[in-house]
Amino acid sequence: MDSRTNYSSQFRKYQWKMLFTAMFCYLFYYTGRQNFGWAIQGMALEFNVTKQQIGWAGAALLWAYGIGQFINGNLADKYGARKMMAIGGLLSVFLNWGISFVTAYWMIVIFWAFNGFAQSLGWAPGSRLIANWWGGKERGKAFGFYVFAAGCSSILIYLLSIIILHVYELDWQWLFRLPVLLLLLGCVIFYFIARDKPEDAGFNPIKEDAASVGPQVMERSIDRYKNVLGNRKFILACISIGFQNMARYGLLVWVPLYYLGSKLQDSSNLWIALALPVGMALGAIFFGQLSDRVFRSNRSKPIAISMGLAGLVILMIYLVPKESVLGGLILLFAAGFLVYGPRSCFWPLSPDLLGVKRSGTGVGVMNAFASVFAGAGEPFIGYMVDATRQQNIVFVVTAVMCFCSAIIVLFVRR
């Protein structure tokens, strides 16, 4: 009895250790891609291009990211997360420094597309690691913490960007040079501490019910893709997260432009924008617990409720003047909380619907859908800003995306 208790205690410690290690690494991943929104105004002014053109650069990253997720999720099922996450982060650091020295707009597009592929080595492999270490009854909680780390990564890059532009008044190039040094640190520490699965640390694999384990024999890559893409409920979930991600990136990329105004460093209310990623981070924790404890691992219901409410809140932001500090803080926090929180419910749908052994491939496919949709939204929002000359039009567009996500996910049942 004592030996079993000791084994259980040691395994529990390792579970949390692996989760926190993956969280620590991903905490710095967004320093290599969400810095872009804060650089839009500076790049547009320096290279004399429209917001729509800058939006195409953002689309290049997201589409390359989606292609990479489609490929790398499957590779994570075969080779594990440890090497893939570390390599992706290191490549992203190099490419961010490269973009800071570009001399033409087309170079931005190329560097940012390659950076999208590098960034794709992070999320799906890390998700497979978590699926390996956490069982179905606690997976919503575990993914909630993981998504929380991603949300905190948004807070971190927002905070660092505001300091770089607004406090120290540095040029936009420094947005791509300084924050990614933290990503370098995170990847090195992750590589030396992480273990892909319990067996690598001397433990037995986690016990799952038969439906959640997946195939009993090792599948070929082509068979994994066929099973994933042939699951109708899972594809509907992928389309739903596609619209969710359009709304998420619509806010993350274009809200900084809204508060920066027509010139850099000209807004006294710039700090209001920080409420958005703070709400996102806290929403991730809340919804991860909610789906496990209140909805008993039914992921679709909390997603639908949250995305519907998010659409209403975002429409309210459109109606509130930018100068309203308190209103802006409360509504941006609520929007971030409701738009991003359901991602804690989306990712567990991969092992829930497909089985743990296909979870990396599933997360990769789901993230590919999310990135393709978000990539299409970037130039469209840029076009709407140019055409209407109203930067707050982003809130109308993203609200519609939220409603679409809420409706589609209602057809997903475990």
Side-chain angles (χ1 to χ4, degrees):
M1 182 67 178
D2 289 339
S3 61
R4 287 199 298 268
T5 302
N6 184 59
Y7 176 90
S8 178
S9 176
Q10 290 296 320
F11 180 73
R12 194 63 171 172
K13 290 179 181 178
Y14 252 86
Q15 272 188 309
W16 284 105
K17 182 180 179 180
M18 293 303 103
L19 176 58
F20 285 139
T21 301
M23 288 172 62
F24 181 79
C25 184
Y26 214 79
L27 173 64
F28 303 122
Y29 244 81
Y30 287 173
T31 62
R33 81 171 182 264
Q34 287 186 6
N35 44 1
F36 189 78
W38 294 93
I40 286 177
Q41 192 64 268
M43 290 187 293
L45 293 171
E46 179 163 337
F47 297 109
N48 193 28
V49 293
T50 66
K51 302 300 188 301
Q52 184 181 9
Q53 287 175 295
I54 295 295
W56 282 112
L61 175 135
L62 288 165
W63 287 337
Y65 181 83
I67 292 170
Q69 283 289 312
F70 193 85
I71 297 170
N72 295 323
N74 175 61
L75 294 180
D77 284 333
K78 295 178 68 174
Y79 303 117
R82 182 167 164 259
K83 293 180 180 179
M84 293 182 68
M85 286 189 77
I87 291 172
L90 294 176
L91 287 174
S92 185
V93 172
F94 172 77
L95 290 163
N96 267 264
W97 271 78
I99 201 173
S100 73
F101 292 103
V102 300
T103 56
Y105 164 74
W106 64 268
M107 298 174 70
I108 294 175
V109 177
I110 292 175
F111 269 97
W112 214 229
F114 278 111
N115 185 48
F117 190 86
Q119 284 271 318
S120 73
L121 274 73
W123 186 259
S127 297
R128 176 57 198 264
L129 183 148
I130 291 171
N132 285 341
W133 280 93
W134 291 83
K137 294 182 179 180
E138 294 185 298
R139 198 166 282 136
K141 175 177 68 177
F143 272 94
F145 277 98
Y146 189 39
V147 178
F148 171 72
C152 288
S153 191
S154 296
I155 297 174
L156 182 64
I157 188 57
Y158 262 53
L159 181 60
L160 292 174
S161 298
I162 291 172
I163 292 172
I164 289 169
L165 293 178
H166 196 62
V167 178
Y168 289 100
E169 299 187 357
L170 297 176
D171 293 331
W172 63 268
Q173 288 88 345
W174 290 99
L175 293 167
F176 298 99
R177 296 172 185 169
L178 297 180
V180 290
L181 297 179
L182 292 172
L183 177 56
L184 176 63
L185 173 67
C187 289
V188 171
I189 292 176
F190 175 81
Y191 180 79
F192 285 106
I193 296 179
R195 296 295 180 268
D196 287 311
K197 54 186 182 295
E199 299 94 302
D200 294 343
F203 297 102
N204 298 322
I206 58 172
K207 293 182 179 180
E208 295 275 1
D209 58 78
S212 296
V213 173
Q216 298 302 310
V217 296
M218 187 65 179
E219 287 182 303
R220 297 179 304 164
S221 295
I222 187 66
D223 292 327
R224 270 198 299 274
Y225 280 119
K226 284 181 179 179
N227 281 293
V228 170
L229 296 173
N231 189 309
R232 187 184 67 85
K233 293 180 181 179
F234 184 73
I235 294 302
L236 286 174
C238 289
I239 296 172
S240 178
I241 199 176
F243 282 108
Q244 181 274 337
N245 210 38
M246 289 177 82
R248 172 199 173 204
Y249 268 92
L251 296 174
L252 281 172
V253 173
W254 296 95
V255 162
L257 178 69
Y258 177 62
Y259 282 101
L260 280 170
S262 59
K263 297 180 181 178
L264 296 179
Q265 304 109 14
D266 72 345
S267 176
S268 59
N269 293 336
L270 192 59
W271 293 92
I272 295 176
L274 195 60
L276 177 69
V278 170
M280 288 183 172
L282 295 179
I285 287 288
F286 176 81
F287 280 94
Q289 298 278 357
L290 186 71
S291 69
D292 281 346
R293 298 189 178 190
V294 177
F295 291 94
R296 297 181 180 180
S297 299
N298 183 325
R299 319 293 181 187
S300 59
K301 287 184 180 178
I303 293 172
I305 293 170
S306 181
M307 294 307 297
L309 291 174
L312 296 175
V313 169
I314 293 171
L315 285 177
M316 292 175 65
I317 299 176
Y318 176 76
L319 300 174
V320 172
K322 182 167 63 174
E323 294 73 22
S324 175
V325 176
L326 182 59
L329 281 170
I330 294 173
L331 290 175
L332 274 178
F333 176 88
F337 187 91
L338 294 167
V339 167
Y340 191 69
R343 288 179 79 85
S344 298
C345 306
F346 273 114
W347 302 121
L349 284 172
S350 178
D352 286 354
L353 295 173
L354 303 171
V356 173
K357 293 185 178 180
R358 296 179 185 136
S359 61
T361 304
V363 169
V365 170
M366 182 176 279
N367 221 352
F369 270 81
S371 300
V372 168
F373 274 65
E378 289 303 286
F380 176 70
I381 292 174
Y383 165 77
M384 293 296 292
V385 171
D386 287 333
T388 63
R389 297 184 180 180
Q390 295 182 15
Q391 292 170 347
N392 64 346
I393 195 67
V394 62
F395 299 119
V396 176
V397 177
T398 53
V400 173
M401 296 169 181
C402 289
F403 293 136
C404 290
S405 176
I407 293 170
I408 292 170
V409 82
L410 290 174
F411 296 94
V412 178
R413 295 288 187 274
R414 184 179 177 183

